[in-house]
PDB file of all heavy atoms in Angstrom:
ATOM      1  N   GLU A 256       5.936 -10.493 -34.972  1.00  0.00           N
ATOM      2  CA  GLU A 256       7.052 -10.171 -35.870  1.00  0.00           C
ATOM      3  C   GLU A 256       6.878 -10.889 -37.210  1.00  0.00           C
ATOM      4  O   GLU A 256       6.255 -11.951 -37.271  1.00  0.00           O
ATOM      5  CB  GLU A 256       8.377 -10.639 -35.248  1.00  0.00           C
ATOM      6  CG  GLU A 256       8.775  -9.922 -33.986  1.00  0.00           C
ATOM      7  CD  GLU A 256       9.193  -8.471 -34.200  1.00  0.00           C
ATOM      8  OE1 GLU A 256       9.366  -8.026 -35.355  1.00  0.00           O
ATOM      9  OE2 GLU A 256       9.341  -7.774 -33.183  1.00  0.00           O
ATOM     10  N   GLU A 257       7.461 -10.345 -38.229  1.00  0.00           N
ATOM     11  CA  GLU A 257       7.490 -10.944 -39.576  1.00  0.00           C
ATOM     12  C   GLU A 257       6.110 -11.140 -40.182  1.00  0.00           C
ATOM     13  O   GLU A 257       5.911 -12.015 -41.026  1.00  0.00           O
ATOM     14  CB  GLU A 257       8.226 -12.297 -39.545  1.00  0.00           C
ATOM     15  CG  GLU A 257       9.668 -12.178 -39.115  1.00  0.00           C
ATOM     16  CD  GLU A 257      10.432 -13.500 -39.188  1.00  0.00           C
ATOM     17  OE1 GLU A 257       9.811 -14.561 -39.393  1.00  0.00           O
ATOM     18  OE2 GLU A 257      11.662 -13.433 -39.053  1.00  0.00           O
ATOM     19  N   GLY A 258       5.126 -10.344 -39.724  1.00  0.00           N
ATOM     20  CA  GLY A 258       3.815 -10.404 -40.348  1.00  0.00           C
ATOM     21  C   GLY A 258       2.953 -11.594 -39.947  1.00  0.00           C
ATOM     22  O   GLY A 258       1.878 -11.794 -40.495  1.00  0.00           O
ATOM     23  N   TRP A 259       3.415 -12.393 -38.971  1.00  0.00           N
ATOM     24  CA  TRP A 259       2.609 -13.532 -38.517  1.00  0.00           C
ATOM     25  C   TRP A 259       1.395 -13.002 -37.758  1.00  0.00           C
ATOM     26  O   TRP A 259       1.512 -12.058 -36.972  1.00  0.00           O
ATOM     27  CB  TRP A 259       3.449 -14.429 -37.608  1.00  0.00           C
ATOM     28  CG  TRP A 259       2.823 -15.765 -37.317  1.00  0.00           C
ATOM     29  CD1 TRP A 259       2.991 -16.908 -38.041  1.00  0.00           C
ATOM     30  CD2 TRP A 259       1.946 -16.098 -36.227  1.00  0.00           C
ATOM     31  NE1 TRP A 259       2.265 -17.938 -37.461  1.00  0.00           N
ATOM     32  CE2 TRP A 259       1.615 -17.469 -36.351  1.00  0.00           C
ATOM     33  CE3 TRP A 259       1.399 -15.381 -35.162  1.00  0.00           C
ATOM     34  CZ2 TRP A 259       0.779 -18.137 -35.457  1.00  0.00           C
ATOM     35  CZ3 TRP A 259       0.562 -16.036 -34.273  1.00  0.00           C
ATOM     36  CH2 TRP A 259       0.258 -17.400 -34.425  1.00  0.00           C
ATOM     37  N   THR A 260       0.222 -13.612 -37.984  1.00  0.00           N
ATOM     38  CA  THR A 260      -1.004 -13.127 -37.349  1.00  0.00           C
ATOM     39  C   THR A 260      -1.858 -14.287 -36.855  1.00  0.00           C
ATOM     40  O   THR A 260      -1.732 -15.421 -37.329  1.00  0.00           O
ATOM     41  CB  THR A 260      -1.863 -12.326 -38.364  1.00  0.00           C
ATOM     42  OG1 THR A 260      -2.048 -13.129 -39.539  1.00  0.00           O
ATOM     43  CG2 THR A 260      -1.222 -11.007 -38.751  1.00  0.00           C
ATOM     44  N   THR A 261      -2.764 -13.986 -35.931  1.00  0.00           N
ATOM     45  CA  THR A 261      -3.808 -14.938 -35.556  1.00  0.00           C
ATOM     46  C   THR A 261      -5.035 -14.156 -35.086  1.00  0.00           C
ATOM     47  O   THR A 261      -4.900 -13.067 -34.530  1.00  0.00           O
ATOM     48  CB  THR A 261      -3.310 -15.959 -34.498  1.00  0.00           C
ATOM     49  OG1 THR A 261      -4.309 -16.990 -34.338  1.00  0.00           O
ATOM     50  CG2 THR A 261      -3.042 -15.327 -33.147  1.00  0.00           C
ATOM     51  N   ASN A 262      -6.214 -14.709 -35.383  1.00  0.00           N
ATOM     52  CA  ASN A 262      -7.486 -14.008 -35.114  1.00  0.00           C
ATOM     53  C   ASN A 262      -8.282 -14.684 -34.010  1.00  0.00           C
ATOM     54  O   ASN A 262      -8.178 -15.905 -33.824  1.00  0.00           O
ATOM     55  CB  ASN A 262      -8.323 -13.976 -36.401  1.00  0.00           C
ATOM     56  CG  ASN A 262      -8.603 -15.368 -36.956  1.00  0.00           C
ATOM     57  OD1 ASN A 262      -7.668 -16.078 -37.346  1.00  0.00           O
ATOM     58  ND2 ASN A 262      -9.858 -15.775 -36.972  1.00  0.00           N
ATOM     59  N   LEU A 263      -9.075 -13.889 -33.312  1.00  0.00           N
ATOM     60  CA  LEU A 263      -9.978 -14.447 -32.300  1.00  0.00           C
ATOM     61  C   LEU A 263     -11.103 -13.458 -32.008  1.00  0.00           C
ATOM     62  O   LEU A 263     -10.951 -12.258 -32.256  1.00  0.00           O
ATOM     63  CB  LEU A 263      -9.225 -14.838 -31.018  1.00  0.00           C
ATOM     64  CG  LEU A 263      -8.624 -13.789 -30.105  1.00  0.00           C
ATOM     65  CD1 LEU A 263      -8.196 -14.426 -28.791  1.00  0.00           C
ATOM     66  CD2 LEU A 263      -7.418 -13.122 -30.726  1.00  0.00           C
ATOM     67  N   PRO A 264     -12.250 -13.958 -31.484  1.00  0.00           N
ATOM     68  CA  PRO A 264     -13.328 -13.049 -31.125  1.00  0.00           C
ATOM     69  C   PRO A 264     -12.905 -12.149 -29.961  1.00  0.00           C
ATOM     70  O   PRO A 264     -12.096 -12.551 -29.123  1.00  0.00           O
ATOM     71  CB  PRO A 264     -14.464 -13.990 -30.677  1.00  0.00           C
ATOM     72  CG  PRO A 264     -14.142 -15.315 -31.274  1.00  0.00           C
ATOM     73  CD  PRO A 264     -12.636 -15.377 -31.309  1.00  0.00           C
ATOM     74  N   ILE A 265     -13.481 -10.965 -29.891  1.00  0.00           N
ATOM     75  CA  ILE A 265     -13.070 -10.008 -28.866  1.00  0.00           C
ATOM     76  C   ILE A 265     -13.333 -10.529 -27.452  1.00  0.00           C
ATOM     77  O   ILE A 265     -12.533 -10.299 -26.551  1.00  0.00           O
ATOM     78  CB  ILE A 265     -13.705  -8.621 -29.118  1.00  0.00           C
ATOM     79  CG1 ILE A 265     -12.959  -7.572 -28.309  1.00  0.00           C
ATOM     80  CG2 ILE A 265     -15.194  -8.592 -28.845  1.00  0.00           C
ATOM     81  CD1 ILE A 265     -13.205  -6.161 -28.735  1.00  0.00           C
ATOM     82  N   GLU A 266     -14.429 -11.288 -27.233  1.00  0.00           N
ATOM     83  CA  GLU A 266     -14.716 -11.812 -25.878  1.00  0.00           C
ATOM     84  C   GLU A 266     -13.568 -12.699 -25.395  1.00  0.00           C
ATOM     85  O   GLU A 266     -13.261 -12.733 -24.207  1.00  0.00           O
ATOM     86  CB  GLU A 266     -15.972 -12.686 -25.816  1.00  0.00           C
ATOM     87  CG  GLU A 266     -17.244 -12.096 -26.348  1.00  0.00           C
ATOM     88  CD  GLU A 266     -17.339 -12.225 -27.862  1.00  0.00           C
ATOM     89  OE1 GLU A 266     -17.450 -13.335 -28.396  1.00  0.00           O
ATOM     90  OE2 GLU A 266     -17.280 -11.148 -28.498  1.00  0.00           O
ATOM     91  N   ASP A 267     -12.985 -13.449 -26.316  1.00  0.00           N
ATOM     92  CA  ASP A 267     -11.908 -14.365 -25.931  1.00  0.00           C
ATOM     93  C   ASP A 267     -10.630 -13.608 -25.620  1.00  0.00           C
ATOM     94  O   ASP A 267      -9.883 -13.967 -24.711  1.00  0.00           O
ATOM     95  CB  ASP A 267     -11.680 -15.390 -27.042  1.00  0.00           C
ATOM     96  CG  ASP A 267     -12.932 -16.221 -27.248  1.00  0.00           C
ATOM     97  OD1 ASP A 267     -13.790 -15.801 -28.047  1.00  0.00           O
ATOM     98  OD2 ASP A 267     -13.069 -17.244 -26.549  1.00  0.00           O
ATOM     99  N   PHE A 268     -10.404 -12.543 -26.379  1.00  0.00           N
ATOM    100  CA  PHE A 268      -9.255 -11.682 -26.090  1.00  0.00           C
ATOM    101  C   PHE A 268      -9.428 -10.997 -24.740  1.00  0.00           C
ATOM    102  O   PHE A 268      -8.491 -10.901 -23.946  1.00  0.00           O
ATOM    103  CB  PHE A 268      -9.097 -10.643 -27.212  1.00  0.00           C
ATOM    104  CG  PHE A 268      -8.049  -9.612 -26.912  1.00  0.00           C
ATOM    105  CD1 PHE A 268      -6.703  -9.927 -27.024  1.00  0.00           C
ATOM    106  CD2 PHE A 268      -8.412  -8.329 -26.519  1.00  0.00           C
ATOM    107  CE1 PHE A 268      -5.734  -8.976 -26.733  1.00  0.00           C
ATOM    108  CE2 PHE A 268      -7.449  -7.374 -26.230  1.00  0.00           C
ATOM    109  CZ  PHE A 268      -6.103  -7.702 -26.337  1.00  0.00           C
ATOM    110  N   LEU A 269     -10.651 -10.517 -24.460  1.00  0.00           N
ATOM    111  CA  LEU A 269     -10.912  -9.766 -23.223  1.00  0.00           C
ATOM    112  C   LEU A 269     -11.119 -10.663 -22.003  1.00  0.00           C
ATOM    113  O   LEU A 269     -11.273 -10.163 -20.892  1.00  0.00           O
ATOM    114  CB  LEU A 269     -12.157  -8.879 -23.386  1.00  0.00           C
ATOM    115  CG  LEU A 269     -12.080  -7.759 -24.428  1.00  0.00           C
ATOM    116  CD1 LEU A 269     -13.422  -7.042 -24.528  1.00  0.00           C
ATOM    117  CD2 LEU A 269     -10.967  -6.761 -24.101  1.00  0.00           C
ATOM    118  N   ALA A 270     -11.115 -11.973 -22.183  1.00  0.00           N
ATOM    119  CA  ALA A 270     -11.349 -12.893 -21.057  1.00  0.00           C
ATOM    120  C   ALA A 270     -10.357 -12.606 -19.923  1.00  0.00           C
ATOM    121  O   ALA A 270      -9.207 -12.245 -20.170  1.00  0.00           O
ATOM    122  CB  ALA A 270     -11.201 -14.335 -21.535  1.00  0.00           C
ATOM    123  N   GLU A 271     -10.803 -12.795 -18.699  1.00  0.00           N
ATOM    124  CA  GLU A 271      -9.941 -12.527 -17.529  1.00  0.00           C
ATOM    125  C   GLU A 271      -8.714 -13.415 -17.501  1.00  0.00           C
ATOM    126  O   GLU A 271      -7.736 -13.105 -16.824  1.00  0.00           O
ATOM    127  CB  GLU A 271     -10.743 -12.779 -16.250  1.00  0.00           C
ATOM    128  CG  GLU A 271     -11.859 -11.779 -16.061  1.00  0.00           C
ATOM    129  CD  GLU A 271     -11.859 -11.181 -14.674  1.00  0.00           C
ATOM    130  OE1 GLU A 271     -11.152 -11.726 -13.805  1.00  0.00           O
ATOM    131  OE2 GLU A 271     -12.563 -10.180 -14.486  1.00  0.00           O
TER     132      GLU A 271
END
Side-chain angles (χ1 to χ4, degrees):
E256 294 290 350
E257 298 184 350
W259 192 90
T260 52
T261 189
N262 58 296
L263 69 169
I265 196 164
E266 306 82 67
D267 298 88
F268 173 76
L269 296 176
E271 293 229 347

